[in-house]
């Protein structure tokens, strides 16, 4: 009788150095020894008003979130033809479908009869068609109207004239990107190239979505994003959780078009000690900030994905997903994933997101006119420069 212990996730499908993209490998090789790493001294500030003013929020919504493709959901949530999911994070009801041809499409979640929602919850599901709960008008997953009860009673009518309202959509890097205004044209080139190659190397699209949670935060979306652009807070805010795992040193930052890739070595990291069979994410963390509002962070056994959807100057909906390389297939894997999920929800929800809400509460008092950034936060003003180029255009 075999006495082999069921494998932990670390023993199969291990992401080793050679499985990464050439850009990721190059970034790892450029991480300096911790003793040689120095943080720059910078003079960077931003007005407190950019986090509190309604006029600034309205400008960002119109010139950024409605002007560029935004991440809406994970490909891994709709992996097969016949899968679909409704999304309402942006306060724009959307349906994402994968039709028989395998193509991902995005539609406004509104029947073309009287506008009723077709899908009433936001959990992934499978269906051959979409049927309106009001009058049973029926649509294919390609958006075509295929069934109308008592159609003979509608004069001068053709089903071909009433498809679902389609939004510009593209699938890249394991994410579904959508243009929120169906009357605009969108440039999807920024989500291609090195970014797609990197996320492809992480196999984000082929992963298993172990857990999802929605956070409704009383904070500006930029304050929610800021902690994922800097290491200054890690040993302080996370002193009792993950802080001891990381050194208080600068990271290697690369621009992938408008996006940012941060590559950080764990405590006592030495690239010369990496072995061919090592789980590379035990030694190195990649953190991606995807313009405008998505964060992707690697961990040894999972990848965290956060989509930050602004709802107002002081409100943000965060859709968090923990993506594992495979579904747990043994008790040890389930125990590990469950423990990791609870831990990361505590770190992000109880620490990072809490810090954003505390900052929002303080800034809203008018106590300070501007926010100042230190050298270990130098990616934040660089991020804002990218945002400001969109707003000023």
């Amino acid at each position: 009788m075999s006495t082999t212990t069921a494998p932990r996730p670390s023993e199969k499908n291990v992401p080793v150095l050679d499985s990464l993209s050439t850009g990721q490998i190059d970034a790892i090789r450029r991480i300096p020894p911790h003793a040689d790493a120095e943080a720059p001294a910078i003079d960077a500030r931003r007005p407190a008003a950019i986090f509190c003013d309604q006029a600034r929020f309205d400008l960002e919504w119109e010139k950024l979130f409605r002007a560029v493709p935004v991440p809406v959901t994970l490909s891994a949530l709709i992996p097969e033809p016949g899968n679909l999911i409704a999304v309402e994070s942006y306060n724009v009801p959307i349906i994402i479908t994968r039709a028989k041809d395998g193509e991902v499409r995005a539609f406004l979640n509104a029947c073309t009869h009287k506008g009723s929602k077709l899908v009433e919850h936001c959990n992934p599901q499978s269906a051959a068609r979409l049927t309106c709960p009001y009058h049973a008008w029926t649509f294919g997953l390609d958006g075509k109207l295929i069934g109308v009860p008592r159609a003979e009673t509608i004069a001068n009518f053709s089903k071909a004239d009433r498809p679902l309202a389609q939004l510009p959509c593209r699938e890249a890097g394991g994410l579904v990107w959508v243009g929120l205004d169906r009357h605009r044209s969108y440039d999807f080139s920024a989500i291609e190239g090195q970014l797609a190659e990197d996320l492809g190397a992480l196999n984000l699209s082929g992963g298993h979505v172990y857990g999802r949670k929605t956070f409704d935060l009383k904070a500006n979306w930029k304050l929610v994003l800021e902690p994922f652009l800097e290491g200054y807070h890690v040993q302080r805010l996370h002193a009792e959780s993950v802080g001891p795992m990381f050194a208080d040193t600068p990271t290697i930052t690369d621009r992938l078009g408008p996006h940012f890739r941060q590559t950080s070595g764990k405590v006592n990291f030495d690239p010369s000690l990496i072995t061919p069979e090592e789980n590379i994410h035990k030694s190195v963390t990649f953190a991606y900030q995807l313009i405008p509002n998505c964060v992707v962070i690697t961990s040894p056994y999972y990848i965290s994905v956060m989509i930050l959807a602004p709802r107002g100057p002081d409100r943000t909906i965060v859709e968090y997903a923990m993506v594992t390389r495979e579904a747990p297939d043994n008790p040890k894997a389930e125990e590990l994933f469950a423990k990791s999920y609870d831990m990361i929800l505590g770190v992000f929800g109880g620490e990072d997101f809490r810090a954003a809400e505390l900052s929002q509460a303080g800034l809203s008092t008018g106590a300070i006119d501007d926010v100042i950034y230190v050298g270990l936060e130098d990616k934040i003003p660089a991020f804002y420069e990218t945002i400001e180029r969109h707003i000023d255009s």
Side-chain angles (χ1 to χ4, degrees):
M1 185 172 86
S2 172
T3 59
T4 302
T5 303
R8 290 165 60 90
S10 58
E11 297 172 354
K12 57 183 180 178
N13 300 328
V14 175
V16 297
L17 182 67
D18 287 346
S19 70
L20 301 177
S21 73
T22 55
Q24 291 167 329
I25 294 172
D26 173 69
I28 291 172
R29 298 302 188 197
R30 288 185 280 118
I31 298 175
H34 289 167
D36 298 338
E38 296 182 359
I42 64 173
D43 182 4
R45 302 166 187 253
R46 286 298 185 278
I50 71 170
F51 305 107
C52 303
D53 285 2
Q54 182 67 47
R56 169 61 184 241
F57 175 83
D58 293 341
L59 192 61
E60 291 175 347
W61 179 251
E62 185 61 28
K63 303 275 297 215
L64 183 63
F65 286 92
R66 285 174 58 85
V68 304
V70 294
V72 169
T73 194
L74 287 161
S75 298
L77 288 171
I78 49 168
E80 303 292 338
N83 293 166
L84 64 99
I85 188 170
V87 179
E88 298 196 2
S89 310
Y90 293 96
N91 209 27
V92 178
I94 299 169
I95 304 173
I96 307 295
T97 70
R98 192 181 297 276
K100 290 181 180 180
D101 59 6
E103 183 178 344
V104 169
R105 295 175 175 85
F107 305 99
L108 292 174
N109 188 1
C111 177
T112 53
H113 175 213
K114 288 189 174 180
S116 172
K117 278 187 180 180
L118 299 169
V119 181
E120 299 179 73
H121 65 78
C122 295
N123 297 320
Q125 55 184 289
S126 297
R129 59 189 63 86
L130 299 166
T131 300
C132 179
Y134 195 176
H135 294 96
W137 281 35
T138 302
F139 303 83
L141 297 190
D142 59 1
K144 294 179 181 178
L145 179 58
I146 57 177
V148 175
R150 300 302 305 272
E152 76 279 4
T153 66
I154 310 175
N156 303 314
F157 174 73
S158 170
K159 291 196 292 290
D161 296 334
R162 306 292 286 192
L164 294 178
Q166 190 164 357
L167 298 171
C169 176
R170 187 76 58 83
E171 187 177 19
L175 293 161
V176 179
W177 303 75
V178 174
L180 298 179
D181 185 346
R182 70 189 183 100
H183 299 296
R184 296 193 192 193
S185 297
Y186 288 85
D187 179 5
F188 288 88
S189 61
I191 62 176
E192 299 169 350
Q194 185 64 56
L195 176 65
E197 182 181 344
D198 275 26
L199 297 182
L202 299 178
N203 195 28
L204 189 60
S205 62
H208 167 72
V209 182
Y210 177 83
R212 300 167 62 216
K213 184 175 177 63
T214 299
F215 295 86
D216 191 341
L217 303 179
K218 297 177 180 178
N220 186 275
W221 69 277
K222 299 184 295 298
L223 288 177
V224 180
L225 184 63
E226 280 197 4
F228 305 104
L229 281 161
E230 51 94 350
Y232 186 39
H233 75 287
V234 175
Q235 291 195 18
R236 297 150 187 92
L237 179 65
H238 303 312
E240 302 300 321
S241 55
V242 298
M245 298 168 56
F246 297 90
D248 196 9
T249 55
T251 61
I252 297 298
T253 302
D254 295 293
R255 296 295 294 264
L256 311 181
H259 315 289
F260 293 80
R261 177 183 64 209
Q262 296 179 87
T263 308
S264 306
K266 301 286 182 67
V267 171
N268 299 322
F269 172 78
D270 185 340
S272 67
L273 300 180
I274 296 175
T275 61
E277 68 278 1
E278 175 187 342
N279 181 336
I280 191 63
H281 300 307
K282 288 185 177 181
S283 300
V284 175
T285 297
F286 291 109
Y288 293 83
Q289 292 75 38
L290 311 184
I291 297 295
N293 61 322
C294 182
V295 177
V296 178
I297 303 176
T298 64
S299 295
Y301 303 113
Y302 59 92
I303 297 174
S304 290
V305 181
M306 286 167 276
I307 297 175
L308 287 56
R311 286 290 189 90
D314 58 356
R315 186 183 176 204
T316 304
I317 303 296
V318 178
E319 298 290 353
Y320 172 80
M322 176 176 141
V323 183
T324 58
R325 292 190 294 278
E326 64 276 317
D329 59 2
N330 63 78
K332 286 189 176 181
E334 174 58 37
E335 180 182 3
L336 175 64
F337 292 168
K339 183 178 180 180
S340 297
Y341 187 61
D342 289 343
M343 182 276 294
I344 205 66
L345 291 183
V347 170
F348 290 159
E351 297 175 6
D352 291 300
F353 297 165
R354 173 175 171 269
E357 291 188 318
L358 291 174
S359 291
Q360 186 72 46
L363 291 172
S364 297
T365 67
I368 57 176
D369 295 327
D370 59 18
V371 175
I372 189 168
Y373 298 99
V374 308
L376 286 168
E377 299 176 296
D378 60 333
K379 269 73 71 178
I380 296 176
F383 171 81
Y384 288 149
E385 288 169 6
T386 300
I387 298 302
E388 288 154 4
R389 283 194 291 271
H390 282 281
I391 294 174
D392 296 338
S393 63

